[in-house]
Amino acid sequence: MSDQKRGMHGIWAGRWTFILAATGSAVGLGNLWKFPYITGENGGGAFVLVYLACILLAGIPVMLAEVLLGRKTRLSPINAMAKMTEETGAPKLFHGIGWMGAASGFFILSFYSVIAGWALLYVGKIASGAFVGINADGSGAAFGAMLADPVGLTIWHTVFMFLTGAVIARGVNKGLEAALKILMPVLFILMLILFGYSLTTPGFMQGFHFLFDFDFSKLSGESVVVALGHSFFTLSLGMGAIMAYGAYMPQEQSLGKTIMWVGLLDTLVALIAGMIIFAIVFSNGLEPSSGPGLMFVSLPIAFGSMPGGIFFGTVFFILVSIAAWSSAISIAEPAVAWAVEKGITRVKATAAICGFAWFLGLGTVLSFNEWAEYKLFGKTFFDTLDFLTANIMLPLGGLLIAIFVGWFVSSDAVKKEANIENETLFKVWRFILRFVSPAAVSIIFLHGLGVFN
Ligand code: PHE
């Protein structure tokens, strides 16, 4: 393979590595922590249905488009968009997709690291036996005490950011590729064990109905925006993470099947996490709509009462941390790859980007304690960043990518790069990308901004 085709960042070594890396990026706090609690806040089944529709009609098509742009250019998202905009003669506006993505990445990384810090902290807590025999009140109180301590939160936020930077600085191939090969299957197996446990709890069916019974009266306009935003967040779309990983994908690999796998695995993990958590929520009289603490309050109760709970609980939170880790790496990768293309060393670029995101993360730390009362439109600093990125910046990025690949890149070029064997499938995808995804995202957007009210 010529240098031109390889690009300057290298290529994933194995045939499965892209799937592994993309799944590692996609499966993270979004699936295990965020999906259950936003489902709880938005009334359950109808929200889940809208979310699944968004994954199918916007998420998967946009993912294919992102990977395609990355692989075609073999550049960081910022330069990939610059090059493609110039080549296709599309309006300069599309060049901005890369920059907006880098900005989204900073924002997301800053709060992602704080929440992942909670998971790290819980590893130690569960391992120490602090949760043995705990009830719902005790678990809630332990979570509250953690949030009230900005110093503790900052320490774990720092540890997590450091771990993330350490892998990125070495280049993604060496550390991550090897680790993920073992860790992702272990995560899956552990989730199945927890799922088995949840089947034995009295609240399982109630949780199941909560997740899968569609009551559309519970669905508000904002819920639909949240579902759309989350479909982008959970698949790591709209900010360049998947585009950056696509740039390291071997040329001969067909995009269609690969991406279906990533989408399927990500969705499966989210739904299983939801079933586990709601079984415990309903078995213990917890509130499904209790917000970001849902996973951290509910799961320790289960681990505190099941045989081998200390062991399984510790392993579980280690895996949550690792899932978050492999996602965080992909959040920073687009900006780091761009800096490397500018001639900055990988180590320096990583230090600058992670350092800045760390600093911004202090705002999220404080929004759970000292700044909890400072609100903008009813949202704390953390809520604002979360809303801005997931519900505005990522869908907007996704919308622009769909329009760009759908309307500005020639059908032949797209076909050649996508390498989808099945002609009908290719046509369906292109149709969705050109018409369905942009229309769906625009309508939901305008609705969210209150245009139809
Ligand atoms: N997809 C990741 C998760 O679900 C988060 C993420 C968002 C990663 C955006 C990369 C880019 O946790």
PDB file of all heavy atoms in Angstrom, residues 256-277:
ATOM      1  N   GLY A 256     -20.634  -1.438   4.705  1.00  0.00           N
ATOM      2  CA  GLY A 256     -22.013  -1.715   5.102  1.00  0.00           C
ATOM      3  C   GLY A 256     -22.134  -2.660   6.292  1.00  0.00           C
ATOM      4  O   GLY A 256     -22.672  -2.308   7.335  1.00  0.00           O
ATOM      5  N   LYS A 257     -21.591  -3.862   6.105  1.00  0.00           N
ATOM      6  CA  LYS A 257     -21.736  -4.890   7.157  1.00  0.00           C
ATOM      7  C   LYS A 257     -21.069  -4.443   8.442  1.00  0.00           C
ATOM      8  O   LYS A 257     -21.593  -4.621   9.532  1.00  0.00           O
ATOM      9  CB  LYS A 257     -21.046  -6.178   6.694  1.00  0.00           C
ATOM     10  CG  LYS A 257     -21.960  -7.103   5.945  1.00  0.00           C
ATOM     11  CD  LYS A 257     -21.259  -8.442   5.752  1.00  0.00           C
ATOM     12  CE  LYS A 257     -21.606  -9.002   4.393  1.00  0.00           C
ATOM     13  NZ  LYS A 257     -20.484  -9.472   3.622  1.00  0.00           N
ATOM     14  N   THR A 258     -19.871  -3.889   8.282  1.00  0.00           N
ATOM     15  CA  THR A 258     -19.098  -3.471   9.441  1.00  0.00           C
ATOM     16  C   THR A 258     -19.908  -2.521  10.321  1.00  0.00           C
ATOM     17  O   THR A 258     -19.975  -2.657  11.538  1.00  0.00           O
ATOM     18  CB  THR A 258     -17.839  -2.738   8.942  1.00  0.00           C
ATOM     19  OG1 THR A 258     -17.251  -3.522   7.930  1.00  0.00           O
ATOM     20  CG2 THR A 258     -16.862  -2.500  10.035  1.00  0.00           C
ATOM     21  N   ILE A 259     -20.551  -1.577   9.653  1.00  0.00           N
ATOM     22  CA  ILE A 259     -21.262  -0.560  10.420  1.00  0.00           C
ATOM     23  C   ILE A 259     -22.529  -1.102  11.046  1.00  0.00           C
ATOM     24  O   ILE A 259     -22.895  -0.740  12.161  1.00  0.00           O
ATOM     25  CB  ILE A 259     -21.482   0.663   9.531  1.00  0.00           C
ATOM     26  CG1 ILE A 259     -20.210   1.475   9.676  1.00  0.00           C
ATOM     27  CG2 ILE A 259     -22.662   1.490   9.938  1.00  0.00           C
ATOM     28  CD1 ILE A 259     -19.702   2.131   8.527  1.00  0.00           C
ATOM     29  N   MET A 260     -23.164  -2.040  10.354  1.00  0.00           N
ATOM     30  CA  MET A 260     -24.334  -2.692  10.935  1.00  0.00           C
ATOM     31  C   MET A 260     -23.967  -3.358  12.253  1.00  0.00           C
ATOM     32  O   MET A 260     -24.701  -3.305  13.231  1.00  0.00           O
ATOM     33  CB  MET A 260     -24.878  -3.761   9.985  1.00  0.00           C
ATOM     34  CG  MET A 260     -25.570  -3.192   8.782  1.00  0.00           C
ATOM     35  SD  MET A 260     -26.999  -2.259   9.312  1.00  0.00           S
ATOM     36  CE  MET A 260     -27.860  -2.059   7.811  1.00  0.00           C
ATOM     37  N   TRP A 261     -22.810  -3.999  12.265  1.00  0.00           N
ATOM     38  CA  TRP A 261     -22.354  -4.675  13.478  1.00  0.00           C
ATOM     39  C   TRP A 261     -22.179  -3.697  14.623  1.00  0.00           C
ATOM     40  O   TRP A 261     -22.628  -3.941  15.750  1.00  0.00           O
ATOM     41  CB  TRP A 261     -21.024  -5.402  13.235  1.00  0.00           C
ATOM     42  CG  TRP A 261     -21.225  -6.803  12.791  1.00  0.00           C
ATOM     43  CD1 TRP A 261     -20.964  -7.312  11.559  1.00  0.00           C
ATOM     44  CD2 TRP A 261     -21.750  -7.877  13.576  1.00  0.00           C
ATOM     45  NE1 TRP A 261     -21.300  -8.640  11.527  1.00  0.00           N
ATOM     46  CE2 TRP A 261     -21.781  -9.016  12.752  1.00  0.00           C
ATOM     47  CE3 TRP A 261     -22.202  -7.980  14.891  1.00  0.00           C
ATOM     48  CZ2 TRP A 261     -22.245 -10.255  13.195  1.00  0.00           C
ATOM     49  CZ3 TRP A 261     -22.669  -9.207  15.343  1.00  0.00           C
ATOM     50  CH2 TRP A 261     -22.690 -10.318  14.500  1.00  0.00           C
ATOM     51  N   VAL A 262     -21.518  -2.588  14.324  1.00  0.00           N
ATOM     52  CA  VAL A 262     -21.266  -1.601  15.379  1.00  0.00           C
ATOM     53  C   VAL A 262     -22.598  -1.079  15.933  1.00  0.00           C
ATOM     54  O   VAL A 262     -22.804  -1.014  17.148  1.00  0.00           O
ATOM     55  CB  VAL A 262     -20.395  -0.441  14.852  1.00  0.00           C
ATOM     56  CG1 VAL A 262     -20.176   0.605  15.928  1.00  0.00           C
ATOM     57  CG2 VAL A 262     -19.058  -0.969  14.339  1.00  0.00           C
ATOM     58  N   GLY A 263     -23.510  -0.747  15.029  1.00  0.00           N
ATOM     59  CA  GLY A 263     -24.813  -0.230  15.461  1.00  0.00           C
ATOM     60  C   GLY A 263     -25.582  -1.247  16.282  1.00  0.00           C
ATOM     61  O   GLY A 263     -26.188  -0.922  17.309  1.00  0.00           O
ATOM     62  N   LEU A 264     -25.520  -2.496  15.844  1.00  0.00           N
ATOM     63  CA  LEU A 264     -26.254  -3.556  16.536  1.00  0.00           C
ATOM     64  C   LEU A 264     -25.698  -3.794  17.943  1.00  0.00           C
ATOM     65  O   LEU A 264     -26.441  -3.859  18.924  1.00  0.00           O
ATOM     66  CB  LEU A 264     -26.147  -4.847  15.715  1.00  0.00           C
ATOM     67  CG  LEU A 264     -27.069  -5.957  16.174  1.00  0.00           C
ATOM     68  CD1 LEU A 264     -28.501  -5.612  15.793  1.00  0.00           C
ATOM     69  CD2 LEU A 264     -26.673  -7.292  15.535  1.00  0.00           C
ATOM     70  N   LEU A 265     -24.388  -3.897  18.034  1.00  0.00           N
ATOM     71  CA  LEU A 265     -23.768  -4.159  19.343  1.00  0.00           C
ATOM     72  C   LEU A 265     -24.054  -3.012  20.316  1.00  0.00           C
ATOM     73  O   LEU A 265     -24.391  -3.223  21.474  1.00  0.00           O
ATOM     74  CB  LEU A 265     -22.249  -4.338  19.192  1.00  0.00           C
ATOM     75  CG  LEU A 265     -21.814  -5.658  18.563  1.00  0.00           C
ATOM     76  CD1 LEU A 265     -20.315  -5.660  18.293  1.00  0.00           C
ATOM     77  CD2 LEU A 265     -22.185  -6.823  19.467  1.00  0.00           C
ATOM     78  N   ASP A 266     -23.939  -1.796  19.809  1.00  0.00           N
ATOM     79  CA  ASP A 266     -24.166  -0.638  20.672  1.00  0.00           C
ATOM     80  C   ASP A 266     -25.598  -0.633  21.210  1.00  0.00           C
ATOM     81  O   ASP A 266     -25.838  -0.408  22.391  1.00  0.00           O
ATOM     82  CB  ASP A 266     -23.890   0.645  19.880  1.00  0.00           C
ATOM     83  CG  ASP A 266     -23.976   1.874  20.759  1.00  0.00           C
ATOM     84  OD1 ASP A 266     -23.033   2.089  21.535  1.00  0.00           O
ATOM     85  OD2 ASP A 266     -24.989   2.600  20.703  1.00  0.00           O
ATOM     86  N   THR A 267     -26.555  -0.917  20.313  1.00  0.00           N
ATOM     87  CA  THR A 267     -27.950  -0.899  20.720  1.00  0.00           C
ATOM     88  C   THR A 267     -28.232  -2.028  21.716  1.00  0.00           C
ATOM     89  O   THR A 267     -28.943  -1.840  22.706  1.00  0.00           O
ATOM     90  CB  THR A 267     -28.851  -1.050  19.478  1.00  0.00           C
ATOM     91  OG1 THR A 267     -28.453  -0.059  18.527  1.00  0.00           O
ATOM     92  CG2 THR A 267     -30.298  -0.862  19.816  1.00  0.00           C
ATOM     93  N   LEU A 268     -27.656  -3.176  21.434  1.00  0.00           N
ATOM     94  CA  LEU A 268     -27.860  -4.320  22.316  1.00  0.00           C
ATOM     95  C   LEU A 268     -27.369  -4.024  23.731  1.00  0.00           C
ATOM     96  O   LEU A 268     -28.051  -4.305  24.718  1.00  0.00           O
ATOM     97  CB  LEU A 268     -27.079  -5.508  21.737  1.00  0.00           C
ATOM     98  CG  LEU A 268     -27.717  -6.875  21.862  1.00  0.00           C
ATOM     99  CD1 LEU A 268     -29.078  -6.885  21.219  1.00  0.00           C
ATOM    100  CD2 LEU A 268     -26.819  -7.934  21.209  1.00  0.00           C
ATOM    101  N   VAL A 269     -26.187  -3.432  23.823  1.00  0.00           N
ATOM    102  CA  VAL A 269     -25.632  -3.127  25.150  1.00  0.00           C
ATOM    103  C   VAL A 269     -26.545  -2.137  25.889  1.00  0.00           C
ATOM    104  O   VAL A 269     -26.824  -2.299  27.079  1.00  0.00           O
ATOM    105  CB  VAL A 269     -24.194  -2.579  25.049  1.00  0.00           C
ATOM    106  CG1 VAL A 269     -23.702  -2.087  26.402  1.00  0.00           C
ATOM    107  CG2 VAL A 269     -23.247  -3.643  24.515  1.00  0.00           C
ATOM    108  N   ALA A 270     -27.036  -1.132  25.171  1.00  0.00           N
ATOM    109  CA  ALA A 270     -27.908  -0.151  25.818  1.00  0.00           C
ATOM    110  C   ALA A 270     -29.189  -0.815  26.327  1.00  0.00           C
ATOM    111  O   ALA A 270     -29.612  -0.590  27.465  1.00  0.00           O
ATOM    112  CB  ALA A 270     -28.251   0.981  24.847  1.00  0.00           C
ATOM    113  N   LEU A 271     -29.800  -1.655  25.489  1.00  0.00           N
ATOM    114  CA  LEU A 271     -31.072  -2.266  25.897  1.00  0.00           C
ATOM    115  C   LEU A 271     -30.874  -3.227  27.065  1.00  0.00           C
ATOM    116  O   LEU A 271     -31.686  -3.266  27.995  1.00  0.00           O
ATOM    117  CB  LEU A 271     -31.733  -2.989  24.710  1.00  0.00           C
ATOM    118  CG  LEU A 271     -32.209  -2.064  23.578  1.00  0.00           C
ATOM    119  CD1 LEU A 271     -32.810  -2.873  22.442  1.00  0.00           C
ATOM    120  CD2 LEU A 271     -33.227  -1.040  24.082  1.00  0.00           C
ATOM    121  N   ILE A 272     -29.782  -3.992  27.034  1.00  0.00           N
ATOM    122  CA  ILE A 272     -29.527  -4.907  28.150  1.00  0.00           C
ATOM    123  C   ILE A 272     -29.284  -4.104  29.435  1.00  0.00           C
ATOM    124  O   ILE A 272     -29.829  -4.413  30.490  1.00  0.00           O
ATOM    125  CB  ILE A 272     -28.325  -5.845  27.854  1.00  0.00           C
ATOM    126  CG1 ILE A 272     -28.657  -6.738  26.650  1.00  0.00           C
ATOM    127  CG2 ILE A 272     -28.020  -6.728  29.062  1.00  0.00           C
ATOM    128  CD1 ILE A 272     -27.503  -7.628  26.222  1.00  0.00           C
ATOM    129  N   ALA A 273     -28.486  -3.042  29.310  1.00  0.00           N
ATOM    130  CA  ALA A 273     -28.240  -2.199  30.500  1.00  0.00           C
ATOM    131  C   ALA A 273     -29.558  -1.663  31.038  1.00  0.00           C
ATOM    132  O   ALA A 273     -29.791  -1.647  32.249  1.00  0.00           O
ATOM    133  CB  ALA A 273     -27.300  -1.050  30.142  1.00  0.00           C
ATOM    134  N   GLY A 274     -30.433  -1.240  30.126  1.00  0.00           N
ATOM    135  CA  GLY A 274     -31.733  -0.718  30.551  1.00  0.00           C
ATOM    136  C   GLY A 274     -32.535  -1.774  31.295  1.00  0.00           C
ATOM    137  O   GLY A 274     -33.090  -1.515  32.365  1.00  0.00           O
ATOM    138  N   MET A 275     -32.575  -2.992  30.751  1.00  0.00           N
ATOM    139  CA  MET A 275     -33.364  -4.051  31.401  1.00  0.00           C
ATOM    140  C   MET A 275     -32.820  -4.358  32.793  1.00  0.00           C
ATOM    141  O   MET A 275     -33.571  -4.542  33.748  1.00  0.00           O
ATOM    142  CB  MET A 275     -33.376  -5.305  30.534  1.00  0.00           C
ATOM    143  CG  MET A 275     -34.289  -5.153  29.327  1.00  0.00           C
ATOM    144  SD  MET A 275     -34.540  -6.708  28.472  1.00  0.00           S
ATOM    145  CE  MET A 275     -33.199  -6.700  27.325  1.00  0.00           C
ATOM    146  N   ILE A 276     -31.491  -4.404  32.904  1.00  0.00           N
ATOM    147  CA  ILE A 276     -30.887  -4.704  34.205  1.00  0.00           C
ATOM    148  C   ILE A 276     -31.238  -3.605  35.208  1.00  0.00           C
ATOM    149  O   ILE A 276     -31.723  -3.865  36.311  1.00  0.00           O
ATOM    150  CB  ILE A 276     -29.344  -4.797  34.084  1.00  0.00           C
ATOM    151  CG1 ILE A 276     -28.945  -5.947  33.166  1.00  0.00           C
ATOM    152  CG2 ILE A 276     -28.706  -4.950  35.461  1.00  0.00           C
ATOM    153  CD1 ILE A 276     -27.466  -5.959  32.790  1.00  0.00           C
ATOM    154  N   ILE A 277     -31.000  -2.376  34.792  1.00  0.00           N
ATOM    155  CA  ILE A 277     -31.162  -1.272  35.746  1.00  0.00           C
ATOM    156  C   ILE A 277     -32.619  -1.078  36.150  1.00  0.00           C
ATOM    157  O   ILE A 277     -32.924  -0.918  37.331  1.00  0.00           O
ATOM    158  CB  ILE A 277     -30.522   0.014  35.177  1.00  0.00           C
ATOM    159  CG1 ILE A 277     -28.996  -0.162  35.276  1.00  0.00           C
ATOM    160  CG2 ILE A 277     -30.966   1.253  35.945  1.00  0.00           C
ATOM    161  CD1 ILE A 277     -28.164   0.920  34.671  1.00  0.00           C
TER     162      ILE A 277
END
